[in-house]
Every structure is written in C-alpha cells, then in structure tokens.
C-alpha cells in the first residue's frame, strides 16, 4: 500500500541486465539494494560459490556466446535475455579468477574487449585449460553472431 509501492523487497546477491547492445555481465550486490523487474535479480543457489569468480566468468567469450545463442535479437542490434533464458546461461568459474576482479573492472571501464581478453585468459585458459585455438574459435563464433545481430555482416 499504496498501489504503486513495491511489495517484493527481496535483496538479491547480484544483478544481470536483461537487454544489451554489447555484452552481458553480472554485478555483485554489496550494497544490499533491490530492484524492479527492469533488471534480473540473481540469488546464488550454489552456496560457497566464489561470487567474484562468477562475475569474472560472465566476462568470458564462452558466457557471452551462450547469451548470444539463448537470447532474443530485437531491432537496432539489441539482445534480450528473458528470465528463463538467463537461468539456462552457464557461467564458467575458476575459483582463483575472482582475485583479478578489480583489474577486470578497471579494464572494462576503458575497453570492453580488453576485459573480455583478460577474463578468457584467467578463466578459460588458465583455469579451465582451454587451448588458445579453442578460445579463438569461441571468439570467432561470438563475433560472427554479434555481427549478424547488429546487421553488419
């Protein structure tokens, strides 16, 4: 009460935007904020998950490729992740990668590609043992899908 007030004040562990023209990533909720349905609210179901490491994992080419494959493309190159699609998107996690989150955030502030390169190196290559060729193949597929979605192929 009143009719315009929020009745769901549950505090999520993190947030994920639901529309993007570039890429998706998780933002941790250290401030204990809540939100309306204009953004996905995330609760960790796997307790003990290193949150910072999961955040770094969302910057990888693998996570971004899954978002491209599962999301819905709209006009002007916008990609939308519905809640059911976001739930299916797996996050590659390497427990040690979270230590580099501050460095990744600094990289992302100036160059999203540099942040993705760093996440790929930390999570996919060093953490999960992907070869350089495998990461390059993921990136090539991701770039192709983004190019198609944005109409520049």
């Amino acid at each position: 009460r009143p009719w315009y007030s929020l009745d769901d004040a549950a505090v999520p562990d993190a947030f994920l935007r639901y529309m993007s023209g570039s890429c998706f990533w998780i933002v941790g909720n250290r401030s204990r904020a809540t939100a309306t349905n204009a953004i996905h609210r995330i609760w960790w179901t796997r307790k003990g998950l290193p949150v910072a490491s999961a955040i770094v994992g969302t910057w990888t080419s693998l996570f971004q490729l899954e978002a491209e494959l599962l999301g819905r493309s709209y006009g002007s190159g916008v990609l939308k992740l519905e809640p059911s699609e976001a739930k299916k998107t797996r996050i590659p996690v390497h427990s040690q990668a979270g230590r580099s989150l501050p460095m990744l955030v600094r990289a992302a502030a100036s160059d999203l590609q540099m942040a993705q390169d760093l996440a790929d190196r930390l999570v996919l290559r060093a953490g999960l043992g992907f070869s350089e060729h495998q990461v390059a193949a993921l990136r090539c597929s991701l770039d192709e899908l983004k190019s198609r979605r944005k109409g520049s192929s």
Side-chain angles (χ1 to χ4, degrees), residues 6-74:
L6 297 175
D7 63 352
D8 179 2
V11 176
D13 298 313
F15 299 101
L16 174 70
R17 66 169 111 181
Y18 73 99
M19 282 188 164
S20 177
S22 59
C23 56
F24 293 90
W25 61 85
I26 288 176
V27 175
N29 186 15
R30 291 183 9 196
S31 67
R32 307 296 299 154
T34 191
T36 64
N37 67 348
I39 191 166
H40 294 307
R41 297 181 298 166
I42 299 171
W43 287 269
W44 303 123
T45 56
R46 194 172 125 203
K47 298 303 176 198
L49 175 72
V51 175
S53 296
I55 291 170
V56 173
T58 62
W59 281 89
T60 63
S61 296
L62 181 58
F63 181 84
Q64 297 301 320
L65 180 59
E66 280 214 346
E68 286 287 338
L69 291 170
L70 293 171
R72 299 175 190 190
S73 182
Y74 288 90

Side-chain angles (χ1 to χ4, degrees), residues 101-139:
L101 181 58
M103 184 171 45
L104 186 135
V105 170
R106 283 191 303 277
S110 61
D111 186 345
L112 295 178
Q113 188 64 56
M114 186 172 28
Q116 188 175 24
D117 291 341
L118 177 61
D120 283 347
R121 196 168 54 251
L122 293 169
V123 177
L124 301 181
R125 298 268 295 133
L128 301 178
F130 281 49
S131 71
E132 190 174 321
H133 176 73
Q134 289 170 318
V135 173
L138 286 172
R139 180 73 57 87

Side-chain angles (χ1 to χ4, degrees), residues 77-88:
V78 171
L79 185 66
K80 183 176 183 182
L81 276 178
E82 296 289 350
S84 60
E85 296 156 347
K87 284 180 183 179
K88 293 177 189 173

